[in-house]
Amino acid sequence: MYYLGFAFFYLLSLLPFWLLYRISDVAAWVLCNVVGYRRKTIESNIRQGFPEFTTEQVLQTKRKFYVNFVDNWVETIKMLSMSKATLAKRAQGNYEVVAELQKTGKPVLAITGHFFNWEFVNLAMGAFQPMPMICVYMPISDKSMDRMFKYLRARFGSHLMAAPLLNREIIPWRKKQYVIGLVSDQNPSNPSNAQWLQFLNRPTPFLTGPERNAQVFNQIPVFTSVRKLKRGHYYFHFELLETKEDSRKDPGAITRQIVQRLEDNIRKEPDSYLWSHRRWKHQWKNEYAPLWVDTKNLMPVEETQG
């Protein structure tokens, strides 16, 4: 089954970009206007993030989102056969910022969000900077798809580590220098073991992993913002985050910077963010008060039914 699926997607990846994007246009229209894929979630999230948007602006952002959403997966399929030269033209960035950090001898933590196309970021980091690249990923339940994604993510030398096994699999790398890539805006499974901040106008829990790992493994945190230059062409901007000598004395210091840059990136290109995931499944409760690390916004109060 794996080889049949791989052969199908590999042959599909050999189609020229212009034809793949025509297929994407049709698929996006169907998802938006016929299937209505997660339509209510997408519209609700956009309104939450941009309360100033008119109804027409929300719908326009939603329509553009569907195009970018399908493009993301078409481009990911293209990665199966994409050459390094083609990737270099389509995934530009200031990689020299990361390369310069090699002189420090310390590992680097490259953080980003679910901006299209985040798969390009992983592949490009393995190809265009000199340190070993570790790509942290969430395993896919379908074994054949999981195997194919492992192949395409590792094509240019990246090492793969499953997120649930990260703490164990990173141990052999403790004395090595590397770049490890994390998508840091996932929804924590346990909101009582998170850091809470205001994100897009709502109290939101964030994973503690990026900040904790930077501290424990002495990693230099770098945020990766994404700008879409045109269809299929992206610019990745790497920016060092500020760290204090002992950041453990200021819980949330790194997370606050991550959240601020996530918001900045989203506000610049609203249709290029993954609005279809349920980012706000967890509601704020007063019991989370010790977890509030936001220094710019007041701690919220739990809404009660009455």
Side-chain angles (χ1 to χ4, degrees), residues 14 39 58 68 70 142 146 161 174 196 206 216 227 263:
L14 296 176
R39 176 180 57 83
V58 171
N68 289 331
V70 181
D142 184 287
D146 189 63
M161 290 188 187
R174 281 181 179 269
W196 283 79
F206 279 83
V216 172
R227 180 161 55 95
E263 277 210 16

PDB file of all heavy atoms in Angstrom, residues 14 39 58 68 70 142 146 161 174 196 206 216 227 263:
ATOM      1  N   LEU A  14       5.541  15.460 -10.062  1.00  0.00           N
ATOM      2  CA  LEU A  14       6.294  15.763 -11.286  1.00  0.00           C
ATOM      3  C   LEU A  14       5.547  16.735 -12.194  1.00  0.00           C
ATOM      4  O   LEU A  14       6.136  17.278 -13.143  1.00  0.00           O
ATOM      5  CB  LEU A  14       6.592  14.467 -12.051  1.00  0.00           C
ATOM      6  CG  LEU A  14       7.499  13.459 -11.334  1.00  0.00           C
ATOM      7  CD1 LEU A  14       7.636  12.197 -12.158  1.00  0.00           C
ATOM      8  CD2 LEU A  14       8.869  14.061 -11.032  1.00  0.00           C
ATOM      9  N   ARG A  39     -15.839  25.326   8.009  1.00  0.00           N
ATOM     10  CA  ARG A  39     -16.213  26.711   7.700  1.00  0.00           C
ATOM     11  C   ARG A  39     -16.503  27.527   8.953  1.00  0.00           C
ATOM     12  O   ARG A  39     -16.011  28.650   9.102  1.00  0.00           O
ATOM     13  CB  ARG A  39     -17.435  26.716   6.778  1.00  0.00           C
ATOM     14  CG  ARG A  39     -17.977  28.105   6.461  1.00  0.00           C
ATOM     15  CD  ARG A  39     -19.181  28.018   5.535  1.00  0.00           C
ATOM     16  NE  ARG A  39     -20.235  27.185   6.107  1.00  0.00           N
ATOM     17  CZ  ARG A  39     -21.138  27.628   6.991  1.00  0.00           C
ATOM     18  NH1 ARG A  39     -21.081  28.888   7.430  1.00  0.00           N
ATOM     19  NH2 ARG A  39     -22.075  26.830   7.459  1.00  0.00           N
ATOM     20  N   VAL A  58     -14.079  39.292   6.469  1.00  0.00           N
ATOM     21  CA  VAL A  58     -13.965  37.936   7.016  1.00  0.00           C
ATOM     22  C   VAL A  58     -14.111  36.908   5.906  1.00  0.00           C
ATOM     23  O   VAL A  58     -13.321  35.958   5.797  1.00  0.00           O
ATOM     24  CB  VAL A  58     -15.042  37.687   8.106  1.00  0.00           C
ATOM     25  CG1 VAL A  58     -15.067  36.208   8.508  1.00  0.00           C
ATOM     26  CG2 VAL A  58     -14.768  38.555   9.326  1.00  0.00           C
ATOM     27  N   ASN A  68      -4.731  29.219   0.016  1.00  0.00           N
ATOM     28  CA  ASN A  68      -3.418  29.011   0.639  1.00  0.00           C
ATOM     29  C   ASN A  68      -3.330  27.646   1.315  1.00  0.00           C
ATOM     30  O   ASN A  68      -2.278  26.999   1.307  1.00  0.00           O
ATOM     31  CB  ASN A  68      -3.144  30.112   1.662  1.00  0.00           C
ATOM     32  CG  ASN A  68      -2.885  31.457   1.010  1.00  0.00           C
ATOM     33  OD1 ASN A  68      -2.392  31.521  -0.107  1.00  0.00           O
ATOM     34  ND2 ASN A  68      -3.221  32.534   1.709  1.00  0.00           N
ATOM     35  N   VAL A  70      -4.892  24.789   0.485  1.00  0.00           N
ATOM     36  CA  VAL A  70      -4.692  23.719  -0.488  1.00  0.00           C
ATOM     37  C   VAL A  70      -3.323  23.869  -1.154  1.00  0.00           C
ATOM     38  O   VAL A  70      -2.635  22.872  -1.397  1.00  0.00           O
ATOM     39  CB  VAL A  70      -5.813  23.714  -1.542  1.00  0.00           C
ATOM     40  CG1 VAL A  70      -5.598  22.572  -2.531  1.00  0.00           C
ATOM     41  CG2 VAL A  70      -7.174  23.562  -0.879  1.00  0.00           C
ATOM     42  N   ASP A 142      -2.012   7.307  10.003  1.00  0.00           N
ATOM     43  CA  ASP A 142      -1.890   6.430   8.840  1.00  0.00           C
ATOM     44  C   ASP A 142      -0.410   6.138   8.609  1.00  0.00           C
ATOM     45  O   ASP A 142       0.370   7.035   8.302  1.00  0.00           O
ATOM     46  CB  ASP A 142      -2.503   7.102   7.606  1.00  0.00           C
ATOM     47  CG  ASP A 142      -2.505   6.201   6.389  1.00  0.00           C
ATOM     48  OD1 ASP A 142      -1.409   5.981   5.818  1.00  0.00           O
ATOM     49  OD2 ASP A 142      -3.578   5.728   5.994  1.00  0.00           O
ATOM     50  N   ASP A 146       2.531   8.582   7.145  1.00  0.00           N
ATOM     51  CA  ASP A 146       3.596   8.953   8.079  1.00  0.00           C
ATOM     52  C   ASP A 146       4.968   8.646   7.472  1.00  0.00           C
ATOM     53  O   ASP A 146       5.895   9.458   7.554  1.00  0.00           O
ATOM     54  CB  ASP A 146       3.415   8.200   9.392  1.00  0.00           C
ATOM     55  CG  ASP A 146       4.353   8.678  10.481  1.00  0.00           C
ATOM     56  OD1 ASP A 146       4.245   9.852  10.873  1.00  0.00           O
ATOM     57  OD2 ASP A 146       5.192   7.877  10.932  1.00  0.00           O
ATOM     58  N   MET A 161      12.519  13.712  14.583  1.00  0.00           N
ATOM     59  CA  MET A 161      12.217  13.258  15.939  1.00  0.00           C
ATOM     60  C   MET A 161      10.733  13.445  16.198  1.00  0.00           C
ATOM     61  O   MET A 161      10.207  14.548  16.020  1.00  0.00           O
ATOM     62  CB  MET A 161      13.020  14.042  16.983  1.00  0.00           C
ATOM     63  CG  MET A 161      14.498  13.743  16.975  1.00  0.00           C
ATOM     64  SD  MET A 161      15.347  14.516  18.369  1.00  0.00           S
ATOM     65  CE  MET A 161      17.058  14.138  17.938  1.00  0.00           C
ATOM     66  N   ARG A 174      22.945  15.860  23.249  1.00  0.00           N
ATOM     67  CA  ARG A 174      23.210  16.839  24.304  1.00  0.00           C
ATOM     68  C   ARG A 174      24.537  17.578  24.131  1.00  0.00           C
ATOM     69  O   ARG A 174      24.635  18.758  24.446  1.00  0.00           O
ATOM     70  CB  ARG A 174      23.192  16.154  25.680  1.00  0.00           C
ATOM     71  CG  ARG A 174      21.800  15.897  26.222  1.00  0.00           C
ATOM     72  CD  ARG A 174      21.858  15.239  27.587  1.00  0.00           C
ATOM     73  NE  ARG A 174      20.535  15.006  28.145  1.00  0.00           N
ATOM     74  CZ  ARG A 174      19.884  15.862  28.935  1.00  0.00           C
ATOM     75  NH1 ARG A 174      20.444  17.007  29.234  1.00  0.00           N
ATOM     76  NH2 ARG A 174      18.689  15.566  29.404  1.00  0.00           N
ATOM     77  N   TRP A 196      -0.115  30.716  30.076  1.00  0.00           N
ATOM     78  CA  TRP A 196      -1.285  31.404  29.534  1.00  0.00           C
ATOM     79  C   TRP A 196      -0.951  32.865  29.231  1.00  0.00           C
ATOM     80  O   TRP A 196      -0.331  33.552  30.043  1.00  0.00           O
ATOM     81  CB  TRP A 196      -2.444  31.339  30.520  1.00  0.00           C
ATOM     82  CG  TRP A 196      -3.149  30.023  30.553  1.00  0.00           C
ATOM     83  CD1 TRP A 196      -2.735  28.883  31.186  1.00  0.00           C
ATOM     84  CD2 TRP A 196      -4.392  29.707  29.926  1.00  0.00           C
ATOM     85  NE1 TRP A 196      -3.645  27.874  30.987  1.00  0.00           N
ATOM     86  CE2 TRP A 196      -4.681  28.345  30.218  1.00  0.00           C
ATOM     87  CE3 TRP A 196      -5.295  30.432  29.142  1.00  0.00           C
ATOM     88  CZ2 TRP A 196      -5.830  27.710  29.764  1.00  0.00           C
ATOM     89  CZ3 TRP A 196      -6.450  29.791  28.686  1.00  0.00           C
ATOM     90  CH2 TRP A 196      -6.700  28.455  28.991  1.00  0.00           C
ATOM     91  N   PHE A 206      -0.231  28.084  26.003  1.00  0.00           N
ATOM     92  CA  PHE A 206       0.872  27.749  25.108  1.00  0.00           C
ATOM     93  C   PHE A 206       1.742  26.674  25.731  1.00  0.00           C
ATOM     94  O   PHE A 206       1.913  26.615  26.954  1.00  0.00           O
ATOM     95  CB  PHE A 206       1.720  28.987  24.801  1.00  0.00           C
ATOM     96  CG  PHE A 206       1.137  29.861  23.724  1.00  0.00           C
ATOM     97  CD1 PHE A 206       0.153  30.790  24.020  1.00  0.00           C
ATOM     98  CD2 PHE A 206       1.561  29.737  22.410  1.00  0.00           C
ATOM     99  CE1 PHE A 206      -0.402  31.585  23.029  1.00  0.00           C
ATOM    100  CE2 PHE A 206       1.012  30.513  21.413  1.00  0.00           C
ATOM    101  CZ  PHE A 206       0.037  31.447  21.717  1.00  0.00           C
ATOM    102  N   VAL A 216      16.918  24.179  29.378  1.00  0.00           N
ATOM    103  CA  VAL A 216      17.548  22.918  29.784  1.00  0.00           C
ATOM    104  C   VAL A 216      18.714  22.549  28.873  1.00  0.00           C
ATOM    105  O   VAL A 216      19.779  22.119  29.342  1.00  0.00           O
ATOM    106  CB  VAL A 216      16.507  21.782  29.802  1.00  0.00           C
ATOM    107  CG1 VAL A 216      17.181  20.429  30.034  1.00  0.00           C
ATOM    108  CG2 VAL A 216      15.461  22.041  30.877  1.00  0.00           C
ATOM    109  N   ARG A 227       6.823  35.278   5.204  1.00  0.00           N
ATOM    110  CA  ARG A 227       6.148  36.231   4.312  1.00  0.00           C
ATOM    111  C   ARG A 227       5.969  35.580   2.947  1.00  0.00           C
ATOM    112  O   ARG A 227       6.919  35.035   2.383  1.00  0.00           O
ATOM    113  CB  ARG A 227       6.972  37.516   4.193  1.00  0.00           C
ATOM    114  CG  ARG A 227       6.358  38.572   3.279  1.00  0.00           C
ATOM    115  CD  ARG A 227       6.963  39.938   3.573  1.00  0.00           C
ATOM    116  NE  ARG A 227       8.408  39.934   3.479  1.00  0.00           N
ATOM    117  CZ  ARG A 227       9.092  40.296   2.377  1.00  0.00           C
ATOM    118  NH1 ARG A 227       8.447  40.662   1.286  1.00  0.00           N
ATOM    119  NH2 ARG A 227      10.409  40.301   2.379  1.00  0.00           N
ATOM    120  N   GLU A 263       1.626  36.864  16.596  1.00  0.00           N
ATOM    121  CA  GLU A 263       0.557  37.822  16.311  1.00  0.00           C
ATOM    122  C   GLU A 263       0.958  38.781  15.207  1.00  0.00           C
ATOM    123  O   GLU A 263       0.170  39.078  14.304  1.00  0.00           O
ATOM    124  CB  GLU A 263       0.192  38.598  17.577  1.00  0.00           C
ATOM    125  CG  GLU A 263      -0.775  37.888  18.481  1.00  0.00           C
ATOM    126  CD  GLU A 263      -1.649  38.863  19.270  1.00  0.00           C
ATOM    127  OE1 GLU A 263      -1.716  40.057  18.901  1.00  0.00           O
ATOM    128  OE2 GLU A 263      -2.267  38.425  20.250  1.00  0.00           O
TER     129      GLU A 263
END
